[in-house]
Amino acid sequence: MPQTESRLPPSSPPASVRPELRPYQHEAVKRVIGHFRQSDEPAVVVLPTGSGKSLVIAELARLARGRVLVLAHVRELVEQNHAKYLAYGLEADIFSAGLGRKESARQVVFGSVQSVVRHLDAVSDEQNAHGPFTLLVIDECHRVSLDADSSYRRVIDHLRSRNPSLKVLGLTATPYRLGQGFIYHRHHHGMVRGDADSFFGDCVFEQPLRLMVRQGYLASPLKVDAAVARYDFSQLAPGTGGLYREEELNRVVAGHRATPGIIAEVIERARQREGVMLFAASVAHAEEILGYLPAQASALITGDTDSDERTRLIEDFKAKRLKYLVNVSVLTTGFDAPHVDLIAILRPTESVGLYQQIVGRGLRLSPGKRDCLILDYAGNPWDLYAPEVGSPRPDSDSEPVQVPCPLCGHANLFWGKRDGELVIEHFGRRCQGLVDAEGRALAAAEPGARQCDFRFRFKTCGDCGAENDIAARRCHGCQTLLVDADDKLREALKLKDARVLRVSGMLLEPTVNGRGLPRLKVTYHDEDGATLAEWFALETPAQRRAFEAVFLRDHARAPGVPWSPTSPDQVCREQQRLRAPDFVVGRKVGRHWQVREKLFDYRGRYRTADSAA
């Protein structure tokens, strides 16, 4: 476990010659130590690409009294992290087949996860003079999967079997995974980001990219609109693993008439630039790109490039003997060439994490470098400064929107849509704020903190009335199995006096009742023209409160956003703020039909109207 004080070995140089940590690096180290003094729960530090994660790792390893294992997934990162530790004048082992070394006798070991997972007993030798590992540091920790059989999880489980109090720290610039969202549960600013079953419990420190640029620690990314035609990847859908398939990418880019013009523009814009990286969609695409670049100044690296050849090409590029370096999904992490000042993206990026990793290759500082030019020819929608908001983007029109919690006041960040400054839709389910035992909002995560109970969208337990997540199968309050939506529909379809509508539209209109009083009429219709309707009065405060409770609460596209209409006309004028249910169930009462049940956020075996081919 790291400590704030440690007796240094006699070989350590004076503090004056050690690498000097920046203020935010000092703060990151301090937060990690503070966390592990109170908890054994895995923690995360988020630092942008180029911010010096290796130095933070080296400082933590130096301060640790116990044994430390530092893991990375590529040999370049293993080498970089090891070199920063050696800069302290200390010694450490390397366990990486790619680097031709398998040593694990010293107190601190830097290893590749692929090599370590194949030699767990050798790395964690019980006879080691330093004892079992007490701290495991994982670089690029967004690669740690929830799958218990993954390489990282197997290493962690093995080390925990030797030391149940093992501390696990992850560092990353992009703390999210495709299909999962954030990789940690709580953020130190006092909010919930990922699921409760996330492997990492807390993000104990985060340094925002925008702040790094503003403070002059990173070069400014300068994104410009390309002047020539772009590739259109809009019709492609990621595969089951969340990644685009190479054969589909090839169908878009192979022999595309835009490619020669794109590369000509890259060359023109690169005239005053020193190092240019181009990210291609496929190997065939990369080879075509290389053919349009100056032959003596360009090279291509793919996953099949021979290891020695790859090392030679990278060294030539870093030495500026090559100006253009084309690659296919292999230089997004563990690649450090500070002089890179132009990034050309000719491929779609599946997530903001990958986009940030690509752009991050050009943000390190270098003498004479003021900024990094970003040329995106694939129409990627990501904002470099805006993180994921915990779940995949629902559609291309969505953007991060801020929604205050009506209960604790926490400013939630959800995917949503705006009409000017007004949030008219969001996809949030539960408040992300952390509160204390009395439900008061916390400005920072602290022991005993819990997630705020307010749910923007929910389904109510019929037994105890508790509000549950819309995907819950069992009530969190009384543990009763919640009634399945399909069961409700099946039961209604069996009844002769019931009408079930697969809703294809909802019509709102102001009208009057038999006594001439204003009413709001809401009509639901299905694909065949069958209808069900309901009426609401909004004249008195009591009627408006009832309308909000029985209608607005479920129909609002942005629940929790204040809206208290006072007349049917106002509701109709702002009906873009309302959503239709997926199904409506009506029962016949006398000669009339009454709406008895409305199903929203339906996920089941029956087809909804908006999914019709």
Side-chain angles (χ1 to χ4, degrees):
M1 172 179 173
Q3 302 288 331
T4 52
E5 295 180 2
S6 176
R7 181 172 297 172
L8 299 177
S11 59
S12 296
S16 59
V17 301
R18 292 194 200 108
E20 184 177 347
L21 270 65
R22 295 168 175 171
Y24 66 85
Q25 293 168 329
H26 275 296
E27 185 64 21
V29 170
K30 176 183 173 184
R31 296 278 186 86
V32 171
I33 293 171
H35 172 81
F36 284 139
R37 278 179 169 167
Q38 301 180 63
S39 173
D40 290 341
E41 193 166 17
V44 171
V45 166
V46 179
L47 293 171
T49 299
S51 60
K53 294 194 297 292
S54 296
L55 206 53
V56 172
I57 293 170
E59 179 70 359
L60 287 167
R62 182 185 74 84
L63 293 174
R65 290 186 182 276
R67 201 165 173 225
V68 182
L69 175 61
V70 181
L71 286 183
H73 69 289
V74 292
R75 68 180 190 181
E76 288 87 355
L77 283 175
V78 176
E79 210 164 20
Q80 286 175 26
N81 292 334
H82 180 257
K84 283 294 190 295
Y85 186 72
L86 295 188
Y88 278 102
L90 304 175
E91 294 296 328
D93 282 343
I94 287 181
F95 201 100
S96 170
L99 294 173
R101 296 171 62 177
K102 290 185 179 178
E103 312 147 354
S104 59
R106 288 191 170 93
Q107 178 190 1
V108 178
V109 180
F110 292 84
S112 66
V113 64
Q114 299 90 340
S115 297
V116 170
V117 76
R118 288 195 293 266
H119 302 89
L120 288 171
D121 289 328
V123 175
S124 59
D125 181 10
E126 290 187 270
Q127 306 304 315
N128 189 283
H130 299 286
F133 286 106
T134 60
L135 173 65
L136 171 63
V137 180
I138 301 173
D139 199 358
E140 305 291 349
C141 67
H142 57 275
R143 304 183 70 88
V144 177
S145 168
L146 290 176
D147 180 4
D149 197 42
S150 64
S151 295
Y152 280 112
R153 297 297 294 273
R154 285 163 58 197
V155 173
I156 292 166
D157 289 345
H158 180 81
L159 297 185
R160 278 178 172 167
S161 72
R162 303 286 176 89
N163 176 15
S165 299
L166 176 76
K167 316 294 187 184
V168 181
L169 174 70
L171 294 98
T172 181
T174 53
Y176 13 77
R177 284 176 62 87
L178 277 172
Q180 177 185 338
F182 281 99
I183 62 172
Y184 59 84
H185 181 44
R186 295 173 296 270
H187 191 277
H188 67 92
H189 282 161
M191 70 187 80
V192 169
R193 280 282 178 83
D195 294 336
D197 62 355
S198 301
F199 174 76
F200 294 99
D202 292 275
C203 171
V204 296
F205 181 80
E206 178 172 13
Q207 180 78 349
L209 174 61
R210 193 185 300 276
L211 182 60
M212 290 283 292
V213 172
R214 188 184 305 135
Q215 293 178 341
Y217 290 124
L218 291 177
S220 175
L222 181 62
K223 188 173 181 179
V224 301
D225 289 328
V228 299
R230 301 183 178 194
Y231 302 111
D232 182 8
F233 295 101
S234 61
Q235 301 305 309
L236 297 188
T240 53
L243 303 175
Y244 292 107
R245 290 181 285 270
E246 183 162 329
E247 60 270 21
E248 293 192 358
L249 293 173
N250 261 331
R251 278 198 289 272
V252 175
V253 298
H256 199 291
R257 62 184 181 183
T259 303
I262 287 173
I263 303 307
E265 182 181 58
V266 171
I267 294 171
E268 177 61 29
R269 289 186 176 273
R271 289 188 184 279
Q272 304 302 318
R273 300 279 164 172
E274 290 197 324
V276 182
M277 293 185 70
L278 300 96
F279 291 82
S282 67
V283 173
H285 185 219
E287 291 171 344
E288 182 185 4
I289 289 170
L290 187 65
Y292 296 120
L293 290 168
Q296 301 303 313
S298 310
L300 165 62
I301 294 178
T302 73
D304 294 327
T305 303
D306 176 76
S307 178
D308 291 340
E309 175 70 0
R310 170 176 166 154
T311 300
R312 183 186 67 79
L313 293 175
I314 289 176
E315 288 177 354
D316 284 348
F317 181 70
K318 289 182 176 180
K320 303 182 185 179
R321 291 187 289 270
L322 294 172
K323 182 172 182 176
Y324 301 92
L325 191 58
V326 187
N327 84 102
V328 185
S329 304
V330 292
L331 298 180
T332 55
T333 58
F335 179 80
D336 183 0
H339 77 288
V340 170
D341 53 3
L342 193 158
I343 301 285
I345 307 173
L346 289 79
R347 55 155 296 172
T349 54
E350 293 90 346
S351 69
V352 67
L354 177 57
Y355 181 74
Q356 288 176 325
Q357 292 283 5
I358 288 174
V359 174
R361 300 308 103 199
L363 300 188
R364 286 182 171 86
L365 299 178
S366 181
K369 177 177 171 181
R370 293 180 302 172
D371 56 41
C372 179
L373 190 62
I374 313 297
L375 303 176
D376 187 348
Y377 297 97
N380 289 292
W382 312 110
D383 181 344
L384 180 63
Y385 295 112
E388 291 271 11
V389 294
S391 59
R393 184 190 293 257
D395 55 53
S396 59
D397 294 332
S398 299
E399 60 179 311
V401 297
Q402 198 173 82
V403 183
C405 172
L407 189 60
C408 74
H410 176 75
N412 293 277
L413 193 64
F414 297 136
W415 289 120
K417 297 175 185 177
R418 290 189 180 91
D419 182 358
E421 292 301 311
L422 177 67
V423 175
I424 61 169
E425 182 173 20
H426 72 74
F427 299 91
R429 296 184 185 181
R430 184 177 177 182
C431 175
Q432 301 164 332
L434 289 174
V435 297
D436 61 18
E438 283 73 42
R440 294 186 293 261
L442 296 172
E446 59 183 50
R450 61 178 178 84
Q451 187 172 1
C452 176
D453 292 326
F454 185 81
R455 295 181 186 274
F456 293 90
R457 288 189 172 88
F458 57 88
K459 57 183 176 183
T460 306
C461 174
D463 286 10
C464 72
E467 296 176 355
N468 294 274
D469 186 79
I470 59 176
R473 298 181 62 84
R474 192 173 292 275
C475 175
H476 73 88
C478 66
Q479 300 304 307
T480 300
L481 197 64
L482 297 171
V483 178
D484 185 73
D486 282 345
D487 291 340
K488 290 183 180 180
L489 291 176
R490 274 194 296 268
E491 290 302 314
L493 288 168
K494 292 177 183 177
L495 301 174
K496 292 182 179 179
D497 64 341
R499 175 179 290 176
V500 178
L501 296 189
R502 178 186 287 119
V503 178
S504 61
M506 180 178 75
L507 175 66
L508 283 76
E509 51 188 330
T511 184
V512 293
N513 66 4
R515 293 184 293 160
L517 298 173
R519 293 290 183 267
L520 173 68
K521 182 181 181 182
V522 183
T523 305
Y524 309 99
H525 60 86
D526 69 7
E527 298 154 316
D528 300 319
T531 63
L532 286 169
E534 54 186 345
W535 289 261
F536 299 96
L538 287 86
E539 295 136 67
T540 69
Q543 289 171 340
R544 291 193 285 271
R545 285 195 298 271
F547 175 67
E548 291 181 19
V550 303
F551 187 84
L552 286 186
R553 189 76 170 89
D554 290 324
H555 284 267
R557 293 174 65 193
V561 174
W563 183 37
S564 299
T566 58
S567 70
D569 285 317
Q570 184 182 354
V571 176
C572 293
R573 283 196 304 271
E574 300 183 54
Q575 61 184 287
Q576 78 273 18
R577 301 176 67 166
L578 300 172
R579 61 175 181 157
D582 295 309
F583 291 91
V584 173
V585 178
R587 296 292 296 274
K588 198 165 190 179
V589 179
R591 294 184 302 156
H592 304 286
W593 292 93
Q594 287 186 357
V595 172
R596 292 290 183 84
E597 186 90 45
K598 289 181 278 191
L599 301 182
F600 294 84
D601 304 301
Y602 173 79
R603 294 176 177 85
R605 62 186 294 268
Y606 295 99
R607 178 180 63 80
T608 56
D610 63 3
S611 64

